[in-house]
mmCIF file of all heavy atoms in Angstrom:
data_model
loop_
_atom_site.group_PDB
_atom_site.id
_atom_site.type_symbol
_atom_site.label_atom_id
_atom_site.label_comp_id
_atom_site.label_asym_id
_atom_site.label_seq_id
_atom_site.Cartn_x
_atom_site.Cartn_y
_atom_site.Cartn_z
ATOM 1 N N MET A 261 -6.943 -76.582 -76.741
ATOM 2 C CA MET A 261 -5.776 -75.845 -77.199
ATOM 3 C C MET A 261 -4.796 -76.785 -77.926
ATOM 4 O O MET A 261 -4.224 -76.449 -78.948
ATOM 5 C CB MET A 261 -5.058 -75.178 -76.031
ATOM 6 C CG MET A 261 -3.799 -74.417 -76.439
ATOM 7 S SD MET A 261 -2.737 -73.965 -75.062
ATOM 8 C CE MET A 261 -2.028 -75.510 -74.607
ATOM 9 N N LEU A 262 -4.632 -77.988 -77.383
ATOM 10 C CA LEU A 262 -3.682 -78.943 -77.963
ATOM 11 C C LEU A 262 -4.263 -79.675 -79.164
ATOM 12 O O LEU A 262 -3.530 -80.311 -79.907
ATOM 13 C CB LEU A 262 -3.244 -79.949 -76.893
ATOM 14 C CG LEU A 262 -2.495 -79.347 -75.707
ATOM 15 C CD1 LEU A 262 -2.280 -80.406 -74.635
ATOM 16 C CD2 LEU A 262 -1.178 -78.750 -76.157
ATOM 17 N N SER A 263 -5.526 -79.652 -79.336
ATOM 18 C CA SER A 263 -6.308 -80.201 -80.452
ATOM 19 C C SER A 263 -6.392 -81.723 -80.508
ATOM 20 O O SER A 263 -7.464 -82.261 -80.519
ATOM 21 C CB SER A 263 -5.852 -79.633 -81.792
ATOM 22 O OG SER A 263 -4.629 -80.157 -82.188
ATOM 23 N N CYS A 264 -5.329 -82.458 -80.549
ATOM 24 C CA CYS A 264 -5.446 -83.902 -80.763
ATOM 25 C C CYS A 264 -5.087 -84.704 -79.504
ATOM 26 O O CYS A 264 -4.516 -85.779 -79.592
ATOM 27 C CB CYS A 264 -4.601 -84.348 -81.943
ATOM 28 S SG CYS A 264 -2.861 -84.033 -81.728
ATOM 29 N N PHE A 265 -5.434 -84.185 -78.334
ATOM 30 C CA PHE A 265 -5.189 -84.881 -77.081
ATOM 31 C C PHE A 265 -6.523 -85.295 -76.476
ATOM 32 O O PHE A 265 -7.580 -84.788 -76.848
ATOM 33 C CB PHE A 265 -4.431 -83.984 -76.102
ATOM 34 C CG PHE A 265 -2.969 -83.884 -76.399
ATOM 35 C CD1 PHE A 265 -2.510 -83.134 -77.459
ATOM 36 C CD2 PHE A 265 -2.050 -84.555 -75.619
ATOM 37 C CE1 PHE A 265 -1.166 -83.039 -77.745
ATOM 38 C CE2 PHE A 265 -0.697 -84.470 -75.894
ATOM 39 C CZ PHE A 265 -0.252 -83.716 -76.948
ATOM 40 N N GLU A 266 -6.450 -86.215 -75.526
ATOM 41 C CA GLU A 266 -7.644 -86.634 -74.801
ATOM 42 C C GLU A 266 -7.248 -86.996 -73.381
ATOM 43 O O GLU A 266 -6.062 -87.137 -73.082
ATOM 44 C CB GLU A 266 -8.318 -87.808 -75.486
ATOM 45 C CG GLU A 266 -7.464 -89.051 -75.577
ATOM 46 C CD GLU A 266 -8.147 -90.187 -76.312
ATOM 47 O OE1 GLU A 266 -9.167 -89.968 -76.967
ATOM 48 O OE2 GLU A 266 -7.639 -91.308 -76.211
ATOM 49 N N TYR A 267 -8.219 -87.163 -72.519
ATOM 50 C CA TYR A 267 -7.944 -87.628 -71.169
ATOM 51 C C TYR A 267 -8.969 -88.691 -70.808
ATOM 52 O O TYR A 267 -10.099 -88.678 -71.308
ATOM 53 C CB TYR A 267 -7.929 -86.480 -70.158
ATOM 54 C CG TYR A 267 -9.203 -85.665 -70.086
ATOM 55 C CD1 TYR A 267 -10.235 -86.033 -69.227
ATOM 56 C CD2 TYR A 267 -9.360 -84.523 -70.856
ATOM 57 C CE1 TYR A 267 -11.394 -85.289 -69.153
ATOM 58 C CE2 TYR A 267 -10.514 -83.771 -70.779
ATOM 59 C CZ TYR A 267 -11.533 -84.158 -69.933
ATOM 60 O OH TYR A 267 -12.673 -83.423 -69.855
ATOM 61 N N TYR A 268 -8.547 -89.635 -69.967
ATOM 62 C CA TYR A 268 -9.413 -90.752 -69.585
ATOM 63 C C TYR A 268 -8.776 -91.502 -68.423
ATOM 64 O O TYR A 268 -7.626 -91.264 -68.065
ATOM 65 C CB TYR A 268 -9.633 -91.694 -70.769
ATOM 66 C CG TYR A 268 -8.353 -92.268 -71.335
ATOM 67 C CD1 TYR A 268 -7.846 -93.480 -70.876
ATOM 68 C CD2 TYR A 268 -7.637 -91.583 -72.312
ATOM 69 C CE1 TYR A 268 -6.665 -93.992 -71.376
ATOM 70 C CE2 TYR A 268 -6.465 -92.090 -72.825
ATOM 71 C CZ TYR A 268 -5.978 -93.295 -72.351
ATOM 72 O OH TYR A 268 -4.807 -93.800 -72.845
ATOM 73 N N TYR A 269 -9.510 -92.405 -67.843
ATOM 74 C CA TYR A 269 -8.981 -93.347 -66.867
ATOM 75 C C TYR A 269 -8.751 -94.662 -67.585
ATOM 76 O O TYR A 269 -9.635 -95.146 -68.292
ATOM 77 C CB TYR A 269 -9.953 -93.554 -65.697
ATOM 78 C CG TYR A 269 -9.971 -92.406 -64.729
ATOM 79 C CD1 TYR A 269 -10.914 -91.406 -64.813
ATOM 80 C CD2 TYR A 269 -9.010 -92.327 -63.726
ATOM 81 C CE1 TYR A 269 -10.915 -90.351 -63.925
ATOM 82 C CE2 TYR A 269 -9.001 -91.264 -62.834
ATOM 83 C CZ TYR A 269 -9.953 -90.290 -62.939
ATOM 84 O OH TYR A 269 -9.945 -89.247 -62.061
ATOM 85 N N ASP A 270 -7.553 -95.271 -67.428
ATOM 86 C CA ASP A 270 -7.308 -96.556 -68.070
ATOM 87 C C ASP A 270 -7.919 -97.677 -67.225
ATOM 88 O O ASP A 270 -8.536 -97.433 -66.189
ATOM 89 C CB ASP A 270 -5.814 -96.768 -68.326
ATOM 90 C CG ASP A 270 -4.992 -96.955 -67.076
ATOM 91 O OD1 ASP A 270 -5.556 -97.013 -65.969
ATOM 92 O OD2 ASP A 270 -3.757 -97.053 -67.194
ATOM 93 N N ILE A 271 -7.764 -98.917 -67.684
ATOM 94 C CA ILE A 271 -8.415 -100.045 -67.003
ATOM 95 C C ILE A 271 -7.831 -100.305 -65.619
ATOM 96 O O ILE A 271 -8.446 -100.990 -64.817
ATOM 97 C CB ILE A 271 -8.355 -101.325 -67.851
ATOM 98 C CG1 ILE A 271 -6.902 -101.715 -68.158
ATOM 99 C CG2 ILE A 271 -9.154 -101.161 -69.131
ATOM 100 C CD1 ILE A 271 -6.774 -103.050 -68.859
ATOM 101 N N ASP A 272 -6.654 -99.733 -65.328
ATOM 102 C CA ASP A 272 -6.047 -99.880 -63.999
ATOM 103 C C ASP A 272 -6.408 -98.703 -63.088
ATOM 104 O O ASP A 272 -5.892 -98.604 -61.977
ATOM 105 C CB ASP A 272 -4.521 -99.997 -64.109
ATOM 106 C CG ASP A 272 -4.111 -101.249 -64.863
ATOM 107 O OD1 ASP A 272 -4.749 -102.299 -64.640
ATOM 108 O OD2 ASP A 272 -3.163 -101.166 -65.670
ATOM 109 N N GLY A 273 -7.264 -97.787 -63.544
ATOM 110 C CA GLY A 273 -7.692 -96.669 -62.735
ATOM 111 C C GLY A 273 -6.745 -95.487 -62.726
ATOM 112 O O GLY A 273 -6.905 -94.563 -61.945
ATOM 113 N N ARG A 274 -5.727 -95.490 -63.600
ATOM 114 C CA ARG A 274 -4.792 -94.369 -63.669
ATOM 115 C C ARG A 274 -5.366 -93.287 -64.591
ATOM 116 O O ARG A 274 -5.933 -93.593 -65.628
ATOM 117 C CB ARG A 274 -3.444 -94.832 -64.212
ATOM 118 C CG ARG A 274 -2.698 -95.745 -63.274
ATOM 119 C CD ARG A 274 -1.419 -96.172 -63.911
ATOM 120 N NE ARG A 274 -1.749 -96.913 -65.126
ATOM 121 C CZ ARG A 274 -1.102 -97.990 -65.553
ATOM 122 N NH1 ARG A 274 -0.079 -98.431 -64.907
ATOM 123 N NH2 ARG A 274 -1.481 -98.591 -66.637
ATOM 124 N N PHE A 275 -5.185 -92.042 -64.193
ATOM 125 C CA PHE A 275 -5.629 -90.920 -65.027
ATOM 126 C C PHE A 275 -4.600 -90.672 -66.105
ATOM 127 O O PHE A 275 -3.413 -90.503 -65.819
ATOM 128 C CB PHE A 275 -5.821 -89.664 -64.167
ATOM 129 C CG PHE A 275 -6.287 -88.490 -64.964
ATOM 130 C CD1 PHE A 275 -7.605 -88.389 -65.335
ATOM 131 C CD2 PHE A 275 -5.407 -87.485 -65.320
ATOM 132 C CE1 PHE A 275 -8.051 -87.288 -66.077
ATOM 133 C CE2 PHE A 275 -5.827 -86.396 -66.048
ATOM 134 C CZ PHE A 275 -7.163 -86.302 -66.420
ATOM 135 N N ILE A 276 -5.012 -90.664 -67.350
ATOM 136 C CA ILE A 276 -4.120 -90.460 -68.499
ATOM 137 C C ILE A 276 -4.561 -89.202 -69.228
ATOM 138 O O ILE A 276 -5.734 -89.021 -69.525
ATOM 139 C CB ILE A 276 -4.197 -91.657 -69.480
ATOM 140 C CG1 ILE A 276 -3.976 -92.991 -68.765
ATOM 141 C CG2 ILE A 276 -3.240 -91.462 -70.641
ATOM 142 C CD1 ILE A 276 -2.610 -93.173 -68.204
#
Side-chain angles (χ1 to χ4, degrees):
M261 178 194 73
L262 297 173
S263 73
C264 61
F265 282 74
E266 62 182 13
Y267 58 89
Y268 58 92
Y269 284 96
D270 68 5
I271 59 174
D272 296 320
R274 292 178 298 218
F275 181 78
I276 308 294

